[in-house]
Amino acid sequence: MATEVDFRDKLDELEKIFKSMPTYKNECVSTKDLRNLIVAIKYERTEEQIQAYIAYWDKYQGGKVRLEEYLASCSSVYKTSEYARQYAILTDVDKDGFISSDEFQGIATLMCTHDLRLTGKSFAEFVEEADTNRDGKVSVDECAAWFEKQVNNSAQNLKSEFL
């Protein structure tokens, strides 16, 4: 994989690229342009990762990528908790502030594909570990914190294997 690109310094350029996509209309592009968009911004992803992003946007956002969400995603792409929070909010289809089993499947698939250090967990394991206030539900913030913890734990485990 390539080195990390800090997209935060390039938001104007990213917006121009987004607006140049053939399906651009009303501050959105179709997922038909998502592969070309990823290539155009030089965000190196495998075909499997690109397909997972397309599947996510098709299922949870009706096949449309909105400019505002795209720019927010680019700004947080290397900050797992911010990235997870953004996608937890987007995946919270009923907008109740909590992550259901179906919503967890969507964000977990996306996050595990996005960051290969993450491994799959069941929804029950997710709720057990992420529900820090023990109300039986996982909020968007608890979800983001849980994903960040998963990345930190996997990084620690990898580090200890080489020491």
Side-chain angles (χ1 to χ4, degrees):
M1 281 289 135
T3 58
E4 294 180 3
V5 176
D6 190 349
F7 292 117
R8 293 171 297 173
D9 296 335
K10 301 177 181 185
L11 293 180
D12 289 339
E13 181 182 340
L14 294 171
E15 182 174 347
K16 286 177 188 170
I17 293 169
F18 185 91
K19 289 180 175 181
S20 75
M21 293 291 113
T23 61
Y24 176 76
K25 184 178 179 182
N26 298 326
E27 301 294 302
C28 295
V29 296
S30 164
T31 54
K32 293 174 186 173
D33 278 332
L34 194 53
R35 174 181 285 99
N36 294 334
L37 186 59
I38 290 169
V39 170
I41 65 171
K42 297 178 175 63
Y43 182 49
E44 293 187 24
R45 299 282 94 181
T46 66
E47 184 59 28
E48 179 183 336
Q49 288 170 310
I50 292 171
Q51 288 300 320
Y53 295 145
I54 291 169
Y56 170 85
W57 286 95
D58 280 342
K59 181 174 181 176
Y60 291 98
Q61 301 301 317
K64 294 184 191 245
V65 180
R66 289 162 190 78
L67 175 61
E68 180 181 339
E69 293 159 355
Y70 158 76
L71 293 175
S73 178
C74 289
S75 294
S76 65
V77 74
Y78 294 110
K79 295 179 179 175
T80 301
S81 65
E82 289 177 35
Y83 193 79
R85 181 173 286 105
Q86 177 192 352
Y87 282 96
I89 291 167
L90 288 174
T91 309
D92 180 17
V93 177
D94 58 9
K95 303 298 180 209
D96 65 355
F98 297 96
I99 304 302
S100 70
S101 176
D102 182 57
E103 292 164 345
F104 170 72
Q105 279 304 114
I107 191 169
T109 300
L110 179 74
M111 292 300 296
C112 290
T113 301
H114 171 73
D115 191 325
L116 301 176
R117 295 174 292 180
L118 298 171
T119 59
K121 295 260 186 171
S122 72
F123 183 67
E125 291 170 312
F126 167 69
V127 171
E128 177 64 30
E129 295 173 13
D131 181 20
T132 56
N133 67 3
R134 300 293 177 228
D135 64 356
K137 302 182 281 187
V138 178
S139 71
V140 166
D141 288 337
E142 287 172 321
C143 178
W146 182 81
F147 275 107
E148 182 173 36
K149 183 177 178 183
Q150 299 305 303
V151 168
N152 291 340
N153 287 345
S154 65
Q156 287 289 18
N157 290 342
L158 185 60
K159 185 178 178 182
S160 66
E161 287 179 21
F162 291 101
L163 293 178

